[in-house]
Amino acid sequence: MSSPLGRVVQFPVRHGATLVGGTANTTRAAFRRVTEEPSGHVDDWGRDAGLFRTITMLSEIRWAVSTGGDQHLPARKGALIVVNARRFSMAHVYSAFAISRAVDRPVRFVGRPDDTTLGALAQRLGGLLDHPDEVAGALRAGELVVSAATSSSRPREVGTVDHTIIGAAVASGVDVFPAATTSSPFSRRARIEIGSAIRGGRRRRGPLAEYELAHEVREQISLLLTEMGDINTGTPLDWLPLSGLGGN
Amino acid sequence: MSGRRVFVSGVGGELGTLVARMLEDEQWVGSLAGIDADPPRRRLQRTTYHRLSPDNHDQIVDTITDFNPHVLIHVGVWEPDARASPKAAGVLTEQAATSILGAAAECRALESIVVRSGIEIYGRGKGSLTRPAESAPIRPTSEYGHTLADIEAIAANVAERVGVTVGAVRLASVLGPHVPSPLGRLLRMPAVPFSAAADPPFAVIEHNDAARALVAAARNQLAEPVNVVAPGAITALHAIRRGRRIPVPVFGPQWFLARRLSHMLGAPIPDHVAEALTRGRLADNGRMEELLGITADVSTVEVIDHLYHWPSVVRRPARVPAAQQIGEAS
């Protein structure tokens, strides 16, 4: 009998030129996106695929986002993703852009203004009004929707999660996913980590279902933030509490 | 369910005629009758047509009570600036609704009412939902929206008093080759104004899909409102580009001038169309299949493409004047 130390775990190996394969896949996905959603195509919710592509390309100048945990999200069904947000970070917007790229399907974000120009632009990028009925309609239609907790000045603090938006997900019968975001006002690096779907602990018939679920989502985001650790630059900037990088 | 008597108001319009033609092919329909101020646009085989003006209250009531329908389909709704000026359209619609729905209440055999409504009923005020579902609050912000809300209210009142079901088919802007539509007319102009600041998306429905929805609502005895909207959406600028028209960017106060100018050029822009171009007009059509058992065959973008492929009216003067032809014939 051979020693267990002699057994080596064999990880699957990707044969062939991975760089070429990766580039081919990316090109194929981009080509498919351009052909299936040509410029000037506006979907049922007013999202303009051509404009979205342009703006996401431009957004990469500001944010370089790495997305993790996107395998938890359903392939076709609707889902509500709740993220934490640092003040003025626009976490819901860059999260929606990054998740959309990761899962290769449109992702909406909650919180577009209802004025003429800015509201119309946000709608063309996938923005929804911050209204439970609007969110419920999108979730029923099988859309992925990103909603942000109330913003906080502390990067490790998770603000209040709007229970009415959670209620829209409960009423629509879709899963709610917590997602932790970290970003910095001084660098491009940002990260999103999506957790597993949250099931309500107790079966509730009334509005307690969404209150308790909102509370659970907030706790799960805090946990994800702790697991993610800090983004460090290796400079004294990390020591500053308001830099968005340092401790609480 | 067979041998039902079905009465269609507004049977002279393009949509009413289409509905009547489709009903003629339905197995469950026994006898079919309809009224309108104008004759039907196409030949109808089984439909008894009564030419009555909406203000002819007594004769409308007699005609409907004599027919004693099981199902009433009320298509007699005048869209502002489609066939009549906004003021005349409001008066005609109100007169028709009062007479026809009032008369229906007197019919002992009546089982269900289907009314043509529109997604303008939801309004586009501040904070209104992007894609309102049927359960969204009714807050009309245009003249046509208010008219539709009044029709639904009258129908609901009649239905409650006599104990019948009422279904409202809330249609997006109906476009078709012969359908008089202010939106269609505007988009076919050589130069078309659009909101430069917003250019919001809107949805439409093709006339065949709209007629199929009304027939399905009658067949299924629809008892609640349903949004009937083609899938997808389009913005005015995208539509203009698809139709190879000249886009005219318009900002806030310039709309007043654009509307006046467009009116002078033969394509008036009523307030509900102006609202669609500045605030957008979408609706959630998710319950269409569940309630009606049908989905729209033609998407919004295809409807707009069809709009630009309709042949234009070519006016050719007679080589021999008509009076001379009559004189020669006699």
Side-chain angles (χ1 to χ4, degrees), chain B residues 49-101:
Chain B
Y49 164 69
H50 302 271
R51 188 172 186 177
L52 291 170
S53 173
D55 60 358
N56 199 343
H57 175 79
D58 294 342
Q59 214 170 339
I60 289 174
V61 172
D62 290 345
T63 306
I64 294 174
T65 48
D66 288 348
F67 186 69
N68 194 19
H70 293 104
V71 180
L72 171 77
I73 306 178
H74 182 55
V75 192
V77 177
W78 279 258
E79 184 181 352
D81 282 327
R83 282 196 289 168
S85 68
K87 196 175 174 185
V91 172
L92 289 167
T93 305
E94 196 261 328
Q95 284 176 343
T98 310
S99 304
I100 293 161
L101 295 170

Side-chain angles (χ1 to χ4, degrees), chain A residues 39-48 112 114-118 120-121 123-124 127-129 131-134 137-138 140-141, chain B residues 124-131 133 135 137 195 197-201 230-235 238 242 278-279 282 284-285:
Chain A
S39 187
H41 174 269
V42 179
D43 71 10
D44 286 344
W45 290 86
R47 178 179 169 276
D48 186 330
R112 77 166 167 88
D114 194 25
D115 57 14
T116 311
T117 311
L118 202 61
L121 176 68
Q123 185 181 9
R124 304 279 278 278
L128 300 176
L129 292 177
H131 193 291
D133 290 345
E134 177 110 336
R140 273 199 309 272
Chain B
R124 294 296 299 137
K126 192 99 177 150
S128 55
L129 302 180
T130 309
R131 256 181 119 230
S135 56
S195 170
D199 192 30
I234 197 162
T235 70
H238 291 160
R242 293 186 88 87
T278 52
R279 293 276 300 159
L282 301 171
D284 187 346
N285 60 358

Side-chain angles (χ1 to χ4, degrees), chain A residues 108-175:
Chain A
R108 322 280 163 182
F109 59 89
V110 179
R112 77 166 167 88
D114 194 25
D115 57 14
T116 311
T117 311
L118 202 61
L121 176 68
Q123 185 181 9
R124 304 279 278 278
L125 297 175
L128 300 176
L129 292 177
D130 189 0
H131 193 291
D133 290 345
E134 177 110 336
V135 176
L139 293 172
R140 273 199 309 272
E143 301 290 340
L144 291 178
V145 178
V146 172
S147 170
T150 51
S151 59
S152 165
S153 56
R154 292 172 180 275
R156 295 271 149 198
E157 193 176 83
V158 183
T160 315
V161 175
D162 187 350
H163 69 274
T164 59
I165 300 295
I166 298 288
V170 172
S172 309
V174 300
D175 287 334

